[in-house]
Short mmCIF file of all heavy atoms in Angstrom, two decimals:
data_model
loop_
_atom_site.label_atom_id
_atom_site.label_comp_id
_atom_site.label_asym_id
_atom_site.label_seq_id
_atom_site.Cartn_x
_atom_site.Cartn_y
_atom_site.Cartn_z
N LYS A 24 -45.20 6.19 -11.35
CA LYS A 24 -44.84 5.70 -9.96
C LYS A 24 -45.32 6.73 -8.91
O LYS A 24 -45.08 6.54 -7.73
CB LYS A 24 -43.43 5.39 -9.83
CG LYS A 24 -42.95 4.22 -10.62
CD LYS A 24 -41.58 3.81 -10.42
CE LYS A 24 -41.22 2.75 -11.42
NZ LYS A 24 -39.70 2.34 -11.34
N LEU A 25 -46.01 7.82 -9.31
CA LEU A 25 -46.50 8.76 -8.41
C LEU A 25 -47.46 8.17 -7.37
O LEU A 25 -48.23 7.37 -7.78
CB LEU A 25 -47.14 10.02 -9.07
CG LEU A 25 -46.33 10.99 -9.81
CD1 LEU A 25 -47.19 11.98 -10.62
CD2 LEU A 25 -45.25 11.65 -9.08
N ARG A 26 -47.35 8.57 -6.15
CA ARG A 26 -48.31 8.16 -5.10
C ARG A 26 -49.01 9.36 -4.52
O ARG A 26 -48.37 10.36 -4.12
CB ARG A 26 -47.63 7.36 -4.08
CG ARG A 26 -46.89 6.01 -4.53
CD ARG A 26 -46.34 5.22 -3.50
NE ARG A 26 -47.45 4.53 -2.68
CZ ARG A 26 -48.02 3.44 -3.13
NH1 ARG A 26 -47.69 2.84 -4.29
NH2 ARG A 26 -49.03 2.91 -2.37
N ILE A 27 -50.31 9.22 -4.38
CA ILE A 27 -51.15 10.31 -3.80
C ILE A 27 -51.88 9.69 -2.62
O ILE A 27 -52.61 8.73 -2.77
CB ILE A 27 -52.12 10.86 -4.76
CG1 ILE A 27 -51.30 11.49 -6.00
CG2 ILE A 27 -53.07 11.87 -4.16
CD1 ILE A 27 -52.20 12.09 -7.12
N GLU A 28 -51.63 10.16 -1.41
CA GLU A 28 -52.15 9.63 -0.18
C GLU A 28 -51.98 8.11 -0.11
O GLU A 28 -52.88 7.31 0.29
CB GLU A 28 -53.68 10.01 -0.07
CG GLU A 28 -53.88 11.48 -0.07
CD GLU A 28 -55.28 11.88 0.16
OE1 GLU A 28 -56.14 11.01 0.16
OE2 GLU A 28 -55.60 13.05 0.35
N GLY A 29 -50.74 7.63 -0.43
CA GLY A 29 -50.42 6.30 -0.18
C GLY A 29 -50.82 5.33 -1.38
O GLY A 29 -50.47 4.21 -1.36
N GLU A 30 -51.56 5.91 -2.34
CA GLU A 30 -52.06 5.09 -3.50
C GLU A 30 -51.39 5.50 -4.75
O GLU A 30 -51.28 6.64 -5.09
CB GLU A 30 -53.55 5.19 -3.60
CG GLU A 30 -54.11 4.26 -4.63
CD GLU A 30 -55.67 4.36 -4.75
OE1 GLU A 30 -56.19 5.28 -4.26
OE2 GLU A 30 -56.27 3.40 -5.39
N ASN A 31 -50.93 4.45 -5.49
CA ASN A 31 -50.32 4.72 -6.87
C ASN A 31 -51.34 5.49 -7.75
O ASN A 31 -52.53 5.13 -7.83
CB ASN A 31 -49.90 3.44 -7.52
CG ASN A 31 -49.30 3.56 -8.78
OD1 ASN A 31 -50.06 3.67 -9.91
ND2 ASN A 31 -47.99 3.79 -8.89
N ILE A 32 -50.83 6.48 -8.37
CA ILE A 32 -51.80 7.38 -9.30
C ILE A 32 -52.41 6.55 -10.38
O ILE A 32 -53.58 6.74 -10.75
CB ILE A 32 -51.07 8.57 -9.83
CG1 ILE A 32 -52.01 9.58 -10.45
CG2 ILE A 32 -49.90 8.16 -10.84
CD1 ILE A 32 -51.39 10.91 -10.85
N LEU A 33 -51.77 5.58 -10.93
CA LEU A 33 -52.32 4.62 -11.93
C LEU A 33 -53.59 3.97 -11.36
O LEU A 33 -54.58 3.85 -12.06
CB LEU A 33 -51.29 3.69 -12.45
CG LEU A 33 -50.34 4.18 -13.56
CD1 LEU A 33 -49.34 3.07 -13.91
CD2 LEU A 33 -51.13 4.56 -14.80
N SER A 34 -53.41 3.50 -10.18
CA SER A 34 -54.56 2.72 -9.52
C SER A 34 -55.76 3.67 -9.34
O SER A 34 -56.90 3.28 -9.62
CB SER A 34 -54.06 2.20 -8.19
OG SER A 34 -55.17 1.54 -7.51
N GLN A 35 -55.45 4.95 -8.95
CA GLN A 35 -56.56 5.93 -8.87
C GLN A 35 -57.31 6.18 -10.19
O GLN A 35 -58.52 6.27 -10.26
CB GLN A 35 -56.02 7.28 -8.22
CG GLN A 35 -55.58 7.06 -6.80
CD GLN A 35 -55.19 8.38 -6.25
OE1 GLN A 35 -55.33 9.54 -6.89
NE2 GLN A 35 -54.70 8.45 -5.01
N ILE A 36 -56.46 6.35 -11.23
CA ILE A 36 -57.01 6.63 -12.57
C ILE A 36 -57.81 5.46 -13.11
O ILE A 36 -58.86 5.64 -13.65
CB ILE A 36 -55.97 7.06 -13.53
CG1 ILE A 36 -55.37 8.41 -13.15
CG2 ILE A 36 -56.50 7.14 -15.04
CD1 ILE A 36 -54.09 8.83 -13.93
N VAL A 37 -57.31 4.22 -12.89
CA VAL A 37 -58.08 2.98 -13.25
C VAL A 37 -59.56 3.06 -12.65
O VAL A 37 -60.48 2.72 -13.27
CB VAL A 37 -57.38 1.77 -13.02
CG1 VAL A 37 -58.11 0.52 -13.18
CG2 VAL A 37 -56.13 1.69 -13.95
N LYS A 38 -59.50 3.37 -11.24
CA LYS A 38 -60.80 3.34 -10.58
C LYS A 38 -61.71 4.38 -11.18
O LYS A 38 -62.88 4.18 -11.33
CB LYS A 38 -60.54 3.77 -9.05
CG LYS A 38 -59.91 2.56 -8.30
CD LYS A 38 -59.72 2.97 -6.87
CE LYS A 38 -59.00 1.90 -6.06
NZ LYS A 38 -58.77 2.32 -4.60
N GLN A 39 -61.22 5.56 -11.54
CA GLN A 39 -62.02 6.60 -12.20
C GLN A 39 -62.60 6.10 -13.46
O GLN A 39 -63.74 6.28 -13.82
CB GLN A 39 -61.26 7.80 -12.28
CG GLN A 39 -60.75 8.52 -10.99
CD GLN A 39 -59.85 9.67 -11.27
OE1 GLN A 39 -59.17 9.80 -12.39
NE2 GLN A 39 -59.63 10.44 -10.23
N LEU A 40 -61.74 5.49 -14.37
CA LEU A 40 -62.07 5.12 -15.66
C LEU A 40 -63.14 3.95 -15.65
O LEU A 40 -63.96 3.80 -16.58
CB LEU A 40 -60.89 4.68 -16.47
CG LEU A 40 -59.82 5.79 -16.78
CD1 LEU A 40 -58.65 5.14 -17.51
CD2 LEU A 40 -60.45 6.80 -17.73
N SER A 41 -63.02 3.17 -14.59
CA SER A 41 -63.96 2.04 -14.46
C SER A 41 -65.45 2.40 -14.41
O SER A 41 -66.28 1.52 -14.63
CB SER A 41 -63.55 1.10 -13.38
OG SER A 41 -63.81 1.83 -12.13
N LYS A 42 -65.65 3.69 -14.14
CA LYS A 42 -67.03 4.12 -14.17
C LYS A 42 -67.75 4.07 -15.56
O LYS A 42 -68.88 3.88 -15.66
CB LYS A 42 -67.12 5.59 -13.57
CG LYS A 42 -66.60 5.89 -12.28
CD LYS A 42 -66.55 7.39 -11.93
CE LYS A 42 -65.80 7.63 -10.62
NZ LYS A 42 -65.89 9.05 -10.41
N ASP A 43 -66.87 4.23 -16.54
CA ASP A 43 -67.42 4.47 -17.87
C ASP A 43 -66.79 3.47 -18.96
O ASP A 43 -67.28 3.37 -20.11
CB ASP A 43 -67.15 5.84 -18.42
CG ASP A 43 -67.74 6.86 -17.54
OD1 ASP A 43 -68.96 6.84 -17.36
OD2 ASP A 43 -67.02 7.76 -17.01
N PHE A 44 -65.83 2.60 -18.59
CA PHE A 44 -65.15 1.77 -19.56
C PHE A 44 -64.98 0.34 -18.93
O PHE A 44 -64.65 0.19 -17.87
CB PHE A 44 -63.65 2.34 -19.94
CG PHE A 44 -63.90 3.63 -20.65
CD1 PHE A 44 -63.70 4.88 -19.82
CD2 PHE A 44 -64.20 3.80 -21.91
CE1 PHE A 44 -63.79 6.08 -20.39
CE2 PHE A 44 -64.28 5.06 -22.44
CZ PHE A 44 -64.02 6.22 -21.76
N ASP A 45 -65.20 -0.65 -19.85
CA ASP A 45 -65.08 -2.09 -19.45
C ASP A 45 -63.57 -2.61 -19.64
O ASP A 45 -63.10 -3.54 -19.09
CB ASP A 45 -65.95 -2.89 -20.20
CG ASP A 45 -67.39 -2.58 -19.88
OD1 ASP A 45 -67.73 -2.17 -18.80
OD2 ASP A 45 -68.29 -2.61 -20.86
N ASP A 46 -62.83 -1.94 -20.58
CA ASP A 46 -61.52 -2.38 -21.06
C ASP A 46 -60.50 -1.27 -20.78
O ASP A 46 -60.58 -0.23 -21.48
CB ASP A 46 -61.54 -2.88 -22.42
CG ASP A 46 -60.20 -3.33 -22.99
OD1 ASP A 46 -59.62 -4.22 -22.26
OD2 ASP A 46 -59.75 -2.81 -23.94
N ILE A 47 -59.69 -1.38 -19.77
CA ILE A 47 -58.75 -0.33 -19.45
C ILE A 47 -57.28 -0.78 -19.52
O ILE A 47 -56.95 -1.84 -18.89
CB ILE A 47 -59.02 0.24 -17.98
CG1 ILE A 47 -60.47 0.66 -17.89
CG2 ILE A 47 -58.03 1.32 -17.65
CD1 ILE A 47 -60.86 0.89 -16.40
N ILE A 48 -56.54 -0.12 -20.37
CA ILE A 48 -55.08 -0.59 -20.63
C ILE A 48 -54.16 0.50 -20.28
O ILE A 48 -54.56 1.68 -20.31
CB ILE A 48 -54.92 -1.06 -22.09
CG1 ILE A 48 -55.19 0.07 -23.02
CG2 ILE A 48 -55.91 -2.30 -22.34
CD1 ILE A 48 -55.01 -0.25 -24.51
N VAL A 49 -52.90 0.02 -19.95
CA VAL A 49 -51.75 0.99 -19.78
C VAL A 49 -50.93 0.80 -21.02
O VAL A 49 -50.54 -0.35 -21.38
CB VAL A 49 -51.05 0.71 -18.54
CG1 VAL A 49 -49.72 1.56 -18.44
CG2 VAL A 49 -51.92 1.27 -17.33
N VAL A 50 -50.47 1.94 -21.57
CA VAL A 50 -49.55 1.83 -22.76
C VAL A 50 -48.40 2.73 -22.51
O VAL A 50 -48.40 3.90 -22.14
CB VAL A 50 -50.35 2.32 -23.99
CG1 VAL A 50 -49.45 2.31 -25.30
CG2 VAL A 50 -51.57 1.37 -24.30
N GLY A 51 -47.24 2.10 -22.97
CA GLY A 51 -45.92 2.86 -22.83
C GLY A 51 -44.92 2.17 -21.99
O GLY A 51 -43.81 2.79 -21.66
N CYS A 52 -45.14 1.01 -21.38
CA CYS A 52 -44.21 0.32 -20.54
C CYS A 52 -44.58 -1.15 -20.56
O CYS A 52 -45.55 -1.62 -21.09
CB CYS A 52 -44.31 0.85 -19.06
SG CYS A 52 -45.85 0.43 -18.23
N ASN A 53 -43.76 -1.93 -19.89
CA ASN A 53 -43.98 -3.30 -19.65
C ASN A 53 -44.70 -3.56 -18.39
O ASN A 53 -44.66 -2.75 -17.47
CB ASN A 53 -42.66 -4.14 -19.66
CG ASN A 53 -41.93 -4.01 -21.02
OD1 ASN A 53 -42.53 -4.21 -22.05
ND2 ASN A 53 -40.68 -3.57 -20.95
N ARG A 54 -45.32 -4.73 -18.22
CA ARG A 54 -46.17 -5.05 -17.03
C ARG A 54 -45.34 -4.97 -15.80
O ARG A 54 -45.80 -4.45 -14.71
CB ARG A 54 -46.85 -6.45 -17.18
CG ARG A 54 -47.75 -6.73 -15.97
CD ARG A 54 -48.55 -7.94 -16.17
NE ARG A 54 -49.66 -7.72 -17.19
CZ ARG A 54 -50.77 -7.16 -16.84
NH1 ARG A 54 -51.07 -6.84 -15.58
NH2 ARG A 54 -51.80 -7.10 -17.74
N GLN A 55 -44.07 -5.41 -15.84
CA GLN A 55 -43.26 -5.44 -14.68
C GLN A 55 -42.90 -4.07 -14.10
O GLN A 55 -42.34 -3.88 -13.04
CB GLN A 55 -41.99 -6.22 -14.84
CG GLN A 55 -41.07 -5.75 -15.84
CD GLN A 55 -41.37 -6.40 -17.20
OE1 GLN A 55 -42.42 -6.87 -17.51
NE2 GLN A 55 -40.25 -6.52 -18.03
N ASP A 56 -43.15 -3.01 -14.96
CA ASP A 56 -42.81 -1.59 -14.67
C ASP A 56 -43.78 -0.96 -13.75
O ASP A 56 -43.60 0.18 -13.36
CB ASP A 56 -42.63 -0.86 -15.96
CG ASP A 56 -41.43 -1.29 -16.80
OD1 ASP A 56 -40.48 -1.77 -16.17
OD2 ASP A 56 -41.46 -1.20 -18.01
N ILE A 57 -44.96 -1.62 -13.52
CA ILE A 57 -45.94 -0.95 -12.76
C ILE A 57 -46.51 -1.99 -11.73
O ILE A 57 -46.37 -3.24 -11.89
CB ILE A 57 -47.15 -0.52 -13.62
CG1 ILE A 57 -47.89 -1.60 -14.32
CG2 ILE A 57 -46.74 0.65 -14.54
CD1 ILE A 57 -49.19 -1.18 -14.99
N PRO A 58 -47.18 -1.59 -10.64
CA PRO A 58 -47.64 -2.54 -9.61
C PRO A 58 -48.87 -3.29 -10.18
O PRO A 58 -49.49 -2.90 -11.24
CB PRO A 58 -47.98 -1.61 -8.42
CG PRO A 58 -48.32 -0.32 -9.08
CD PRO A 58 -47.32 -0.19 -10.27
N THR A 59 -49.24 -4.31 -9.59
CA THR A 59 -50.46 -4.98 -9.93
C THR A 59 -51.63 -4.18 -9.53
O THR A 59 -51.74 -3.65 -8.42
CB THR A 59 -50.58 -6.37 -9.17
OG1 THR A 59 -49.52 -7.18 -9.43
CG2 THR A 59 -51.93 -7.02 -9.52
N ILE A 60 -52.53 -3.84 -10.57
CA ILE A 60 -53.68 -2.97 -10.37
C ILE A 60 -54.96 -3.69 -10.65
O ILE A 60 -55.05 -4.20 -11.85
CB ILE A 60 -53.53 -1.68 -11.20
CG1 ILE A 60 -52.23 -1.06 -10.80
CG2 ILE A 60 -54.72 -0.85 -11.13
CD1 ILE A 60 -51.92 0.22 -11.77
N SER A 61 -55.84 -3.73 -9.76
CA SER A 61 -57.21 -4.28 -10.03
C SER A 61 -57.98 -3.53 -11.04
O SER A 61 -58.01 -2.31 -11.13
CB SER A 61 -57.95 -4.26 -8.70
OG SER A 61 -59.25 -4.87 -8.87
N GLY A 62 -58.58 -4.30 -12.02
CA GLY A 62 -59.40 -3.70 -13.01
C GLY A 62 -58.63 -3.36 -14.24
O GLY A 62 -59.21 -2.82 -15.22
N LEU A 63 -57.39 -3.60 -14.33
CA LEU A 63 -56.54 -3.34 -15.50
C LEU A 63 -56.63 -4.50 -16.45
O LEU A 63 -56.32 -5.62 -16.06
CB LEU A 63 -55.13 -2.94 -15.11
CG LEU A 63 -54.19 -2.26 -16.11
CD1 LEU A 63 -54.82 -0.97 -16.52
CD2 LEU A 63 -52.79 -2.06 -15.54
N SER A 64 -56.87 -4.22 -17.76
CA SER A 64 -57.03 -5.34 -18.69
C SER A 64 -55.68 -5.71 -19.37
O SER A 64 -55.50 -6.91 -19.73
CB SER A 64 -57.91 -4.91 -19.87
OG SER A 64 -59.25 -4.52 -19.36
N GLY A 65 -54.76 -4.80 -19.45
CA GLY A 65 -53.53 -5.17 -20.10
C GLY A 65 -52.49 -3.99 -20.02
O GLY A 65 -52.83 -2.83 -19.84
N VAL A 66 -51.21 -4.30 -20.25
CA VAL A 66 -50.16 -3.28 -20.24
C VAL A 66 -49.25 -3.61 -21.50
O VAL A 66 -48.83 -4.76 -21.74
CB VAL A 66 -49.22 -3.57 -18.91
CG1 VAL A 66 -48.15 -2.44 -18.98
CG2 VAL A 66 -50.06 -3.37 -17.73
N TYR A 67 -49.02 -2.56 -22.19
CA TYR A 67 -48.38 -2.75 -23.52
C TYR A 67 -47.32 -1.59 -23.75
O TYR A 67 -47.56 -0.44 -23.46
CB TYR A 67 -49.35 -2.63 -24.64
CG TYR A 67 -50.51 -3.68 -24.56
CD1 TYR A 67 -51.71 -3.14 -23.96
CD2 TYR A 67 -50.36 -4.93 -24.90
CE1 TYR A 67 -52.74 -4.04 -23.83
CE2 TYR A 67 -51.54 -5.79 -24.87
CZ TYR A 67 -52.67 -5.27 -24.22
OH TYR A 67 -53.78 -6.18 -24.05
N PRO A 68 -46.09 -2.00 -24.17
CA PRO A 68 -45.10 -1.00 -24.63
C PRO A 68 -45.47 -0.29 -25.76
O PRO A 68 -46.24 -0.75 -26.63
CB PRO A 68 -43.87 -1.79 -24.75
CG PRO A 68 -44.36 -3.27 -25.20
CD PRO A 68 -45.72 -3.36 -24.56
N ASP A 69 -44.85 0.87 -26.04
CA ASP A 69 -44.99 1.57 -27.27
C ASP A 69 -44.41 0.71 -28.34
O ASP A 69 -43.38 0.04 -28.21
CB ASP A 69 -44.28 2.90 -27.17
CG ASP A 69 -45.06 3.94 -26.39
OD1 ASP A 69 -46.30 3.87 -26.27
OD2 ASP A 69 -44.41 4.89 -25.88
N VAL A 70 -45.02 0.84 -29.55
CA VAL A 70 -44.51 -0.02 -30.67
C VAL A 70 -43.34 0.57 -31.42
O VAL A 70 -42.69 -0.07 -32.26
CB VAL A 70 -45.71 -0.38 -31.65
CG1 VAL A 70 -46.67 -1.16 -30.99
CG2 VAL A 70 -46.28 0.98 -32.25
N LEU A 71 -43.03 1.84 -31.20
CA LEU A 71 -41.92 2.51 -31.79
C LEU A 71 -41.10 3.19 -30.70
O LEU A 71 -41.59 3.70 -29.73
CB LEU A 71 -42.43 3.52 -32.75
CG LEU A 71 -43.28 3.20 -33.93
CD1 LEU A 71 -43.87 4.37 -34.76
CD2 LEU A 71 -42.50 2.27 -34.88
N GLU A 72 -39.69 3.18 -30.97
CA GLU A 72 -38.84 3.77 -30.04
C GLU A 72 -38.69 5.28 -30.38
O GLU A 72 -37.65 5.66 -30.85
CB GLU A 72 -37.48 3.08 -30.03
CG GLU A 72 -37.63 1.59 -29.50
CD GLU A 72 -36.19 0.96 -29.43
OE1 GLU A 72 -35.13 1.69 -29.70
OE2 GLU A 72 -36.12 -0.20 -29.14
N LEU A 73 -39.66 6.03 -30.19
CA LEU A 73 -39.77 7.41 -30.40
C LEU A 73 -40.55 8.08 -29.42
O LEU A 73 -41.73 7.68 -29.20
CB LEU A 73 -40.42 7.62 -31.87
CG LEU A 73 -40.65 9.08 -32.28
CD1 LEU A 73 -39.24 9.74 -32.50
CD2 LEU A 73 -41.41 9.12 -33.72
N SER A 74 -39.91 9.02 -28.80
CA SER A 74 -40.66 9.74 -27.73
C SER A 74 -41.60 10.77 -28.20
O SER A 74 -41.20 11.84 -28.52
CB SER A 74 -39.57 10.40 -26.71
OG SER A 74 -40.21 11.09 -25.67
N ALA A 75 -42.81 10.34 -28.20
CA ALA A 75 -43.91 11.26 -28.80
C ALA A 75 -45.31 10.77 -28.39
O ALA A 75 -45.48 9.58 -28.37
CB ALA A 75 -43.78 11.36 -30.23
N SER A 76 -46.14 11.74 -27.93
CA SER A 76 -47.42 11.31 -27.54
C SER A 76 -48.22 10.59 -28.69
O SER A 76 -49.08 9.67 -28.41
CB SER A 76 -48.27 12.55 -27.03
OG SER A 76 -47.63 13.15 -25.93
N LEU A 77 -47.94 11.05 -29.91
CA LEU A 77 -48.58 10.38 -31.04
C LEU A 77 -48.31 8.93 -31.15
O LEU A 77 -49.17 8.11 -31.47
CB LEU A 77 -48.18 11.07 -32.40
CG LEU A 77 -49.02 10.61 -33.62
CD1 LEU A 77 -50.47 10.82 -33.42
CD2 LEU A 77 -48.38 11.38 -34.82
N VAL A 78 -47.10 8.58 -30.74
CA VAL A 78 -46.61 7.12 -30.71
C VAL A 78 -47.46 6.35 -29.72
O VAL A 78 -47.98 5.24 -29.93
CB VAL A 78 -45.20 6.97 -30.43
CG1 VAL A 78 -44.84 5.54 -30.18
CG2 VAL A 78 -44.38 7.53 -31.57
N GLY A 79 -47.72 6.98 -28.48
CA GLY A 79 -48.51 6.40 -27.49
C GLY A 79 -49.93 6.21 -27.93
O GLY A 79 -50.57 5.13 -27.73
N ILE A 80 -50.62 7.22 -28.61
CA ILE A 80 -51.92 7.02 -29.12
C ILE A 80 -51.98 5.95 -30.06
O ILE A 80 -52.88 5.11 -30.12
CB ILE A 80 -52.32 8.37 -29.80
CG1 ILE A 80 -52.54 9.44 -28.65
CG2 ILE A 80 -53.71 8.16 -30.45
CD1 ILE A 80 -52.82 10.82 -29.12
#
Side-chain angles (χ1 to χ4, degrees):
K24 296 181 180 178
L25 291 177
R26 299 187 70 82
I27 298 175
E28 296 184 355
E30 184 178 18
N31 180 272
I32 190 170
L33 277 176
S34 180
Q35 291 187 2
I36 294 174
V37 169
K38 288 179 181 177
Q39 293 171 344
L40 292 174
S41 65
K42 301 173 185 176
D43 301 303
F44 301 96
D45 296 325
D46 179 53
I47 303 169
I48 61 176
V49 166
V50 176
C52 69
N53 295 308
R54 182 171 286 277
Q55 62 266 27
D56 296 328
I57 63 171
T59 299
I60 298 174
S61 177
L63 195 60
S64 302
V66 182
Y67 307 95
D69 286 333
V70 296
L71 298 173
E72 293 185 5
L73 177 66
S74 180
S76 296
L77 185 59
V78 172
I80 294 172

